[in-house]
Amino acid sequence: MNWSGRRVLVTGAGKGIGRATAVMLASRGARVVALSRSADDLASLKTETGCETVCADLGAIDQIEAIVKPALPIDLLVNCAGTTTLQSFVDSDLSEFNRVLGVNTVAPMVLSQIVVKDWLARGIKGAIVNVSSDAARRGVVNHTAYCASKAALDAMTRVMAAELGPSGIRVNSVNPTVTLTPMGELAWSDPAKADPVKARIPLGRFLDPDEVAEAILFLLSDGAAMVNGVSLPVDGGLSVS
Ligand code: NAP
């Protein structure tokens, strides 16, 4: 893939998987537009990569159009920003459920609609990668909103692929298991909690953010020209064990 001149919008680019993706894209010659919430993260990313930055909260759904339109045109899109909440099913409250669904599912839909309308108007054969999760297929205790939001994102990915494929636009998701982002390190640093999960992963370890970024870049790239509508496990084989 020749990334040179390709303009890629990456949401959630301040930390973790989104940041690793933005850094990898920039190092391979892409022009990155990094969207995230914390200004400090974006400032350090700009220093590191020379990327453009957009500081915004994607939870404010009604503001997404005003936020994203000035960043157009782009060639490729990575919907990576994500959030969670820890609540048991019976105690899940609606406002938290809607907040998680808003950031993880509704924001990627609204943002993608804006980008895709622009591509259709200009005849651009773009590609979108939605960052989903292994949790889309599992019943993870205390993760009702998160699991529902990622399962919905996978379903939306398939519909987008079916509807937009005839226009040459590809849409896929990546579905990582535990990834050692700052948040992942915090949640999974206790061996008593982590070891039983690692034992179920045939490759025996959690992921580095760069390993998810590599899968994202593959799905964005011309190398994946006939890959459309998949939810790609990036999980060391957990899904088949
Ligand atoms: P992370 O380290 O917490 O980074 C998330 C990034 O997204 C941060 O820069 C954050 O900004 C930004 N963000 C969050 N909410 C936002 C909002 N409302 N508007 C704009 N930006 C927002 O998370 P991560 O672990 O890299 O996760 C990235 C994606 O991978 C998520 O969709 C997550 O569900 C998925 N995933 C993660 C794992 C894992 O184990 N880490 C596994 C499977 C899937 P602030 O810090 O400023 O809020």
Side-chain angles (χ1 to χ4, degrees):
M1 176 75 170
N2 179 7
W3 295 98
S4 178
R6 302 288 186 111
R7 198 170 145 84
V8 191
L9 175 59
V10 182
T11 74
K15 296 184 179 78
I17 294 167
R19 190 180 184 102
T21 303
V23 169
M24 192 175 284
L25 282 164
S27 73
R28 294 182 190 177
R31 292 160 59 205
V32 174
V33 183
L35 187 154
S36 200
R37 206 164 42 169
S38 299
D40 288 356
D41 289 338
L42 289 171
S44 65
L45 184 64
K46 184 173 186 168
T47 303
E48 187 179 347
T49 66
C51 67
E52 290 174 44
T53 61
V54 179
C55 192
D57 181 352
L58 291 171
I61 304 289
D62 55 352
Q63 290 169 30
I64 291 178
E65 184 159 9
I67 291 161
V68 169
K69 274 207 163 163
L72 301 181
I74 59 163
D75 302 298
L76 302 161
L77 170 64
V78 182
N79 285 309
C80 187
T83 188
T84 191
T85 189
L86 292 180
Q87 295 184 327
S88 70
F89 171 73
V90 286
D91 289 329
S92 288
D93 72 75
L94 202 51
S95 65
E96 269 298 90
F97 187 87
N98 285 335
R99 183 186 67 79
V100 173
L101 266 285
V103 174
N104 292 3
T105 316
V106 182
M109 181 181 89
V110 172
L111 203 158
S112 298
Q113 285 175 325
I114 295 162
V115 168
V116 165
K117 280 178 187 167
D118 179 61
W119 285 346
L120 293 173
R122 295 188 296 121
I124 299 296
K125 299 181 192 311
I128 297 174
V129 175
N130 293 322
V131 180
S132 182
S133 171
D134 176 56
R137 291 172 246 232
R138 291 183 188 279
V140 185
V141 169
N142 292 333
H143 283 72
T144 301
Y146 187 75
C147 290
S149 72
K150 295 299 189 180
L153 187 62
D154 283 2
M156 191 168 74
T157 298
R158 289 188 285 273
V159 175
M160 292 166 75
E163 290 189 5
L164 303 175
S167 300
I169 296 168
R170 296 182 302 105
V171 186
N172 294 288
S173 72
V174 288
N175 296 58
T177 188
V178 177
T179 304
L180 297 175
T181 61
M183 185 195 276
E185 300 257 17
L186 206 66
W188 294 93
S189 57
D190 178 3
K193 181 179 172 189
D195 288 353
V197 179
K198 282 185 197 166
R200 290 172 41 223
I201 300 174
L203 290 178
R205 63 177 176 83
F206 294 149
L207 292 157
D208 182 89
D210 278 347
E211 293 171 318
V212 185
E214 288 283 10
I216 292 170
L217 264 69
F218 168 66
L219 290 173
L220 287 178
S221 77
D222 297 340
M226 280 300 283
V227 184
N228 190 29
V230 306
S231 293
L232 179 68
V234 188
D235 65 356
L238 177 62
S239 53
V240 297
S241 69

